[in-house]
Amino acid sequence: MNLTISMNTVLNFLHSMALSTSNKQWLADHLYEEVKAEQKAAATTANG
């Protein structure tokens, strides 16, 4: 099954969950760490 979800839909879903500030911080931290790891891997691949 192929599923496409817009980022606005994801954000609206998160807002509907009424997350606490600490939950939002946890989510942001983990997303940011994943982005940094992916960028590092892409840079390593690009540099050979």
Side-chain angles (χ1 to χ4, degrees), residues 10-33:
V10 172
L11 186 58
N12 288 338
F13 172 71
L14 291 172
H15 284 294
S16 75
M17 296 176 69
L19 298 172
S20 69
T21 301
S22 64
N23 289 143
K24 289 176 187 177
Q25 185 66 56
W26 182 92
L27 180 59
D29 291 344
H30 284 78
L31 287 172
Y32 185 67
E33 289 300 319

